[in-house]
Amino acid sequence: MRVLGIESSCDETGIAIYDDALGILSHQLYSQVKLHADYGGVVPELASRDHVRKTLPLIQAALAEAGCGPEQIDGIAYTAGPGLVGALLVGATVGRSLAMAWNKPAVAVHHMEGHLLAPMLEARVPAFPFIALLVSGGHTLLVQVDGIGRYQILGESIDDAAGEAFDKTAKLLGLDYPGGAALARLAEQGTPGRFIFPRPMTDRPGLDFSFSGLKTFAANTIRSEGHDEKTRADIAHAFQCAVVDTLAIKCKRALKQTGLKRLVIAGGVSANRQLREQLQTLMLELKGEVFYPRPEYCTDNGAMIAYAGLQRLKAGQTVGLAIQVQPRWSL
Ligand code: KG4
Ligand code: ZN
């Protein structure tokens, strides 16, 4: 079975073709980062227009790369939410219309389910059940995953998502949007221990997160200590340690609470090297295993949507002719 996946929920146009016997046959990605950089964040209308320009050419490129025609595609999956309404509508409209023209089934995929299943694209695949830490620009979720579509949310952020906190703090440090990866690079030059940031909500029971206070803590530290090159790196280091420690503490709690031994991390922030290393150490200590996607499948991409779509297609979960998206949609 072979599925074409379309991702357009935010500022990346991702197109991929996944075959359940052969794996990923094509992976095309166009990032709008440069388009939005001057504005310090994603401008929804510009994002929609750029998806309009890129979606069909990337689908043509994906078919060429995979060396197949529409007749060899068994279904079309598109991200139906959560995300920016206009951006989602572009992918959904193209996906649903092509499915009708090609006489194929269409599948509406939840963006976070895409992230959650992205580690399944790797050679070493986690067996169910497992705990998933989903850390992206819009969401921070701890989920118990018992199977495809069997998700129990154990904890989530009550304010900023982890990626959002990275981006906002990066902005305070003078880095361009989205600054998560740049902040991580700056943190590598920082001196450990010069600043100690709080580990929010770790001193009480529960699995929820709160990251907005860390950004305020960073702003106050910049105000009192200045922002020379050295101080910026030390602040970035302290901030990253606080986020990673907090995520690791809650993962450990979730694993203990459920008795599970497998941990999956996915979403843009799962590309963070310190987070990967610390969770690897944790799982060694707990005699468990950690799984994560390769960096290009951590951030938004079409491959994860094609994979999730194929699972939903196998389960017969296709959609009718109406083009529907859900900008807000819980997992
Ligand atoms: O999953 P994603 O591509 O988009 C959403 O669904 O939101 O995640 C993007 C987020 C951004 O906040 C970005 O700054 C963050 O992931 N990110 C990182 C790193 N790479 C991307 N944060 C920390 N360290 C990184 N290496
Ligand atoms: Zn995402």
Side-chain angles (χ1 to χ4, degrees):
M1 197 179 252
R2 200 171 279 192
V3 166
L4 172 75
I6 303 172
E7 157 62 32
S8 72
S9 66
C10 191
D11 59 347
E12 251 109 31
T13 318
I15 307 291
I17 297 173
Y18 176 77
D19 181 296
D20 60 354
L22 303 171
I24 291 291
L25 300 182
S26 172
H27 178 234
Q28 302 280 332
L29 187 76
Y30 174 77
S31 171
Q32 305 177 352
V33 160
K34 283 204 188 88
L35 175 73
H36 303 290
D38 288 349
Y39 303 93
V42 178
V43 183
E45 181 58 26
L46 295 183
S48 310
R49 292 183 198 189
D50 226 22
H51 286 305
V52 169
R53 278 189 284 270
K54 296 292 176 192
T55 306
L56 278 172
L58 285 183
I59 291 174
Q60 277 170 328
L63 289 169
E65 188 185 7
C68 72
E71 63 287 350
Q72 285 144 290
I73 299 287
D74 299 300
I76 299 179
Y78 54 83
T79 304
L84 301 170
V85 64
L88 288 167
L89 274 169
V90 178
T93 306
V94 173
R96 190 67 203 82
S97 309
L98 269 186
M100 190 177 83
W102 294 351
N103 197 22
K104 306 285 177 184
V107 184
V109 173
H110 192 294
H111 181 76
M112 295 313 288
E113 180 176 50
H115 277 304
L116 195 160
L117 298 177
M120 303 293 188
L121 294 165
E122 302 303 335
R124 208 175 120 260
V125 168
F128 297 117
F130 56 77
I131 295 294
L133 172 70
L134 303 182
V135 272
S136 71
H139 297 84
T140 305
L141 294 170
L142 259 174
V143 190
Q144 179 174 329
V145 180
D146 293 318
I148 303 281
R150 293 168 61 205
Y151 312 130
Q152 193 185 328
I153 294 177
L154 305 175
E156 59 193 314
S157 179
I158 59 167
D159 43 52
D160 290 355
E164 191 179 358
F166 261 96
D167 295 341
K168 286 178 175 172
T169 304
K171 197 170 185 176
L172 291 172
L173 292 169
L175 302 168
D176 283 344
Y177 181 88
L183 189 153
R185 280 194 295 278
L186 184 61
E188 282 179 16
Q189 276 123 55
T191 310
R194 177 170 167 207
F195 301 115
I196 307 288
F197 277 41
R199 274 59 176 159
M201 292 180 75
T202 53
D203 57 351
R204 66 188 94 158
L207 295 169
D208 284 340
F209 302 91
S210 164
F211 289 113
S212 70
L214 287 178
K215 165 200 64 194
T216 313
F217 202 92
N220 291 339
T221 310
I222 291 168
R223 203 168 302 128
S224 63
E225 305 287 332
H227 52 276
D228 58 279
E229 197 56 33
K230 180 85 193 72
T231 303
R232 284 170 66 240
D234 293 346
I235 291 173
H237 184 90
F239 168 84
Q240 179 169 271
C241 284
V243 175
V244 169
D245 257 3
T246 304
L247 293 171
I249 290 168
K250 297 288 166 111
C251 284
K252 187 174 181 177
R253 238 180 238 179
L255 291 158
K256 288 229 152 134
Q257 185 179 307
T258 56
L260 295 175
K261 292 278 187 194
R262 282 179 294 270
L263 177 68
V264 158
I265 46 171
V269 183
S270 70
N272 186 277
R273 218 181 64 191
Q274 195 183 333
L275 178 65
R276 287 173 177 238
E277 287 174 4
Q278 203 156 319
L279 291 178
Q280 215 144 16
T281 307
L282 171 71
M283 294 318 284
L284 218 61
E285 178 198 316
L286 298 178
K287 297 188 172 51
E289 286 178 284
V290 62
F291 301 84
Y292 37 72
R294 71 192 72 174
E296 70 251 48
Y297 296 159
C298 285
T299 44
D300 290 349
N301 66 84
M304 65 185 196
I305 302 304
Y307 180 87
L310 190 139
Q311 309 311 316
R312 294 289 181 175
L313 182 59
K314 273 185 174 168
Q317 293 169 359
T318 57
V319 293
L321 282 177
I323 294 166
Q324 284 175 329
V325 296
Q326 295 192 63
R328 289 171 171 275
W329 184 7
S330 60
L331 186 65

